[in-house]
Amino acid sequence: MNIYDISEKAGVSIATVSRVLNGNSRVSEKTRQRILAIMEETGYQPNIFARGLGLNTMNTVGILCADSSDAVLASAVYHIEQELHKYQYDALLCCTGYDVGVKEKYLGLLLSKRVDALILAGSNFVESDAEKNQYIIDAAKEVPVIILNGYLDAPNVYCALCDDADIMQQVTERFLKKTDRILYLYRSLSYSGRKKAEGMKRAFAAAGQELKPENVVLYNGAIDETKQMLLERYEQGARWDVILTSDDELAVGAYKFSRAAGLKVPEELQIVGYNNSKPSICCEPEISSVDNHLEYSSQNAVSMLMRVLSGEQVPSRITVSGDIIVRGTTVDL
Amino acid sequence: MNIYDISEKAGVSIATVSRVLNGNSRVSEKTRQRILAIMEETGYQPNIFARGLGLNTMNTVGILCADSSDAVLASAVYHIEQELHKYQYDALLCCTGYDVGVKEKYLGLLLSKRVDALILAGSNFVESDAEKNQYIIDAAKEVPVIILNGYLDAPNVYCALCDDADIMQQVTERFLKKTDRILYLYRSLSYSGRKKAEGMKRAFAAAGQELKPENVVLYNGAIDETKQMLLERYEQGARWDVILTSDDELAVGAYKFSRAAGLKVPEELQIVGYNNSKPSICCEPEISSVDNHLEYSSQNAVSMLMRVLSGEQVPSRITVSGDIIVRGTTVDL
C-alpha cells in the first residue's frame, strides 16, 4: 500500500494525497477526511520520520547524479540546489555511478529515508531497455520523480529536457547541403545520446541520403583516446568533412585528431560539440557547440516539482529547444 | 551552553561529548554518566531532532561549497560524497556563493537542522580577515568542522589540504635559475591563493632576487577576459618569460594570450596551471599544471571526520604535497 494506491482508491491525484500528507491547506476538508479515512482503513503507514502524517515535511529533495565531477552534471546539480534553496528545500546528494543496479540501490536508500521527492539529474538515468527503468516507475509510486534531460512516460514522473533530436536534425541538415561525409560520435546510449542519433538519422532520411553505419560511432573515451581512435580510422582510410559529437570533450578529441592528422579546421574539417561547456572554449579555434540550456531545464525541473508538491496539475514534460553557438570550428552553420 | 562548554566543564574532548551524544559505545560508562549529569545540570539541550540524546544520529553531513558548478569544487564534492556514503553518511549539499554573509547564513541553516558535522569544501572559506572566520569557529562549538584546502586554527576544526606554498616555491625556484621575469596570476585571496603567492615570494627571497609588485596580479576573470588583460599589459610593454597561475582556467587565458601576441609556447613563454583539471588538457600544447591531489584530500577530510565522530584523537591538519605534471607549455621544469 503506497501513496499511489491511496490516490487510486480515493479517486484523486497523487498530488492531492501528497498535499494531505504534507499538511497543505489547499485541500478541501471533505477530501482530506476521505483520504485520511482510506489511509486508516488500509493501514497505510507513511514514513513518519519523513513526513509525520500531514504535519510537516522534511523539506528535503534527493538528487541522484551519476557523477557530479562531470562538469555538465555538476552544473545541473548546482542549479538544482540553488533553485531548491529558494523554496527552502534541502538537497540530499547521491552520486550513483553509471551502473543501473547501484542507481537502484541508492534510490531505495533515499526513499527509505526522508525525501519529499527525487530528482534524477542526467540523461543516463533513462535506459533504452524498459525493464531497467522499472525501479524509477516504482519509486514514483512513493514520491514525485523529476528527470532532468531524460524522458520516461509513467505516473508521477515529470521531465525537464532539451529537444536534442530536433536541434541535431537541424545541424545535420545544414551540413547535408554540402556533404554527407558526416560522423556522429556519441558517448552513451543514454536518452539524449539516442535522441541526438535519431535527429541525425532523420535529417539523412529527409534528404533521401544514406547514412553509413560506420559513421555513427558509440565511443566512451577520454580526450586523448578519442583522438587516437579517430586517427586510427583515418589512417585506415576513413574520411569525414564534419564531426558531430554528443559532448564537448569528444569534440576536443576530434579537434586534437585534426591537429595530429594535419587537417585544417574549419576549412578541411568542421567540428560541433554539445553542451556549450568549458572544454569547448579552451582550445583555439574555439569549438562550435549546441547549447542545450541545462541551467534553464534545471530550474524548470525544480519549479515543476514545487507545483507538484503543492498539489497543482502540471504537464509531465517541459522541453526547451537546443541552440547552436557558432564558433571557430564551423563555416556551414 | 553548547557542546564546547560541556566538554570544558567535564574536562573531556569535544569528541568524547559527541560520542556520548551519538550513542557511541566507546565511552566508559563512568564518563558517559558524568557528561550526562553535566548536561542535565546545565540544562544543555542538544538539537533533539538532530541527535536524540545519545540514541542515534541522522548520519548526515552538511557540505558547504561556494559553487559546485566550478569543475574543481565539483570534483571535491563528488569525492566527499562518495567517501561519506562508504560510511553510511548522507551528504546535504549547500552552494553558498562567495559572499561571507551568505556563507554564514547557510551554515547557520545547516546547524539548525540536523547535521552531524560540516565540511567546508574549498579554500575560499578561510578569509585573510580573521574576523570573517568567526562564524566557522562558532559553528565548531556545535559540531566538528572539516575544511578542505583551507586552514583555520580553532578547536574542533580539522583541515585537509595541499602544501601549496611549498610546491609553488619549488616551481618558482626552478624557473628562477633562468629568469626572474615570472608573473603570478591568481584569482582570489583565498587561503590557497595566498599560500601560493607566499611560496613564490619565498623563492625570490631565497634566491636574493627582487619580485616586482606588478608581477603578482590578482585577477578574477573568465578565459577570454584573462587573455585580453594580459594582452593589454603586453601592449603597454610588460614582458614575461613565465606565467604561473592559481588555476588552470587562468592558464588557458595565458595560453590564448600567447597565441594573440604571437609568442611561441614554450620557447618564448612558459605557462603553468594549477589543479591539474580538464581545461589544462583541452588545448595544444597541453598545459603543465600542479596536481594538488584534491581527490586524496577529499578522502582525507572524510576519514578524519569519521575518526572525530567516533571519538578518536586526530591531528588537526593533514597536508599532502603538490606535484608538477609536466606537459607541453614548459621546458624548465
Side-chain angles (χ1 to χ4, degrees), chain B residues 150-209:
Chain B
Y151 178 66
L152 189 62
D153 183 14
N156 214 22
V157 172
Y158 305 86
C159 304
L161 65 165
C162 172
D163 195 341
D164 296 304
D166 181 66
I167 184 67
M168 206 60 172
Q169 180 174 355
Q170 283 184 46
V171 168
T172 310
E173 278 171 353
R174 294 206 206 171
F175 286 117
L176 265 178
K177 288 176 189 160
K178 299 270 182 72
T179 179
D180 65 349
R181 297 201 307 184
I182 303 174
L183 172 69
Y184 173 54
L185 200 57
Y186 69 134
R187 193 176 291 285
S188 81
L189 285 168
S190 68
Y191 180 82
S192 71
R194 301 194 305 273
K195 281 289 160 186
K196 291 168 198 168
E198 192 182 305
M200 190 209 185
K201 286 171 190 163
R202 282 206 308 237
F204 270 82
Q209 290 190 270

Side-chain angles (χ1 to χ4, degrees), chain A residues 50-294:
Chain A
R51 285 178 211 92
L53 248 175
L55 291 175
N56 60 7
T57 82
M58 296 288 287
N59 272 23
T60 300
V61 172
I63 303 178
L64 279 96
C65 171
D67 176 2
S68 73
S69 75
D70 171 276
V72 174
L73 293 178
S75 173
V77 168
Y78 172 73
H79 292 296
I80 290 169
E81 193 277 344
Q82 292 283 291
E83 280 298 298
L84 286 174
H85 256 292
K86 284 190 196 157
Y87 296 96
Q88 265 106 45
Y89 273 78
D90 289 329
L92 208 55
L93 175 66
C94 271
C95 302
T96 62
Y98 291 92
D99 180 78
V100 174
V102 179
K103 284 176 182 166
E104 186 171 351
K105 201 196 84 196
Y106 273 90
L107 191 147
L109 203 69
L110 278 178
L111 275 185
S112 75
K113 284 180 179 171
R114 48 180 184 267
V115 294
D116 296 304
L118 292 168
I119 298 181
L120 312 186
S123 187
N124 54 74
F125 279 95
V126 182
E127 302 277 336
S128 49
D129 178 354
E131 220 171 85
K132 290 187 176 165
N133 299 322
Q134 189 58 44
Y135 74 102
I136 300 176
I137 296 170
D138 290 341
K141 293 173 185 169
E142 305 289 331
V143 294
V145 173
I146 314 288
I147 302 179
L148 180 69
N149 263 7
Y151 177 65
L152 190 62
D153 183 14
N156 215 23
V157 173
Y158 304 86
C159 304
L161 64 166
C162 172
D163 195 342
D164 296 305
D166 182 66
I167 185 66
M168 207 60 172
Q169 181 173 354
Q170 283 183 47
V171 167
T172 310
E173 278 170 354
R174 295 205 206 171
F175 286 117
L176 266 178
K177 288 177 190 159
K178 299 269 181 73
T179 178
D180 65 348
R181 297 202 305 184
I182 304 174
L183 173 68
Y184 172 54
L185 202 57
Y186 69 133
R187 192 177 292 283
S188 82
L189 285 167
S190 69
Y191 181 81
S192 71
R194 299 194 306 273
K195 282 290 161 188
K196 291 167 198 166
E198 192 181 306
M200 192 212 186
K201 285 171 190 165
R202 282 207 308 238
F204 270 81
Q209 289 190 274
E210 186 208 355
L211 174 57
K212 292 180 187 143
E214 68 264 31
N215 278 347
V216 178
V217 173
L218 185 64
Y219 187 75
N220 183 16
I223 290 171
D224 207 56
E225 293 165 345
T226 307
K227 163 190 158 184
Q228 291 300 337
M229 181 273 291
L230 290 171
L231 205 52
E232 275 166 33
R233 290 178 186 230
Y234 183 77
E235 281 162 0
Q236 287 159 14
R239 291 294 179 272
W240 316 284
D241 299 314
V242 176
I243 299 181
L244 309 178
T245 64
S246 68
D247 66 52
D248 290 326
E249 285 185 40
L250 288 171
V252 172
Y255 158 81
K256 295 210 166 190
F257 151 71
S258 75
R259 304 278 300 232
L263 294 169
K264 275 188 199 142
V265 171
E267 297 85 350
E268 297 173 297
L269 179 67
Q270 300 187 66
I271 301 169
V272 182
Y274 213 100
N275 293 333
N276 190 26
S277 61
K278 277 273 158 63
S280 69
I281 56 164
C282 286
C283 52
E284 290 214 326
E286 295 183 351
I287 298 173
S288 301
S289 183
V290 172
D291 189 346
N292 63 351
H293 304 296
L294 189 67

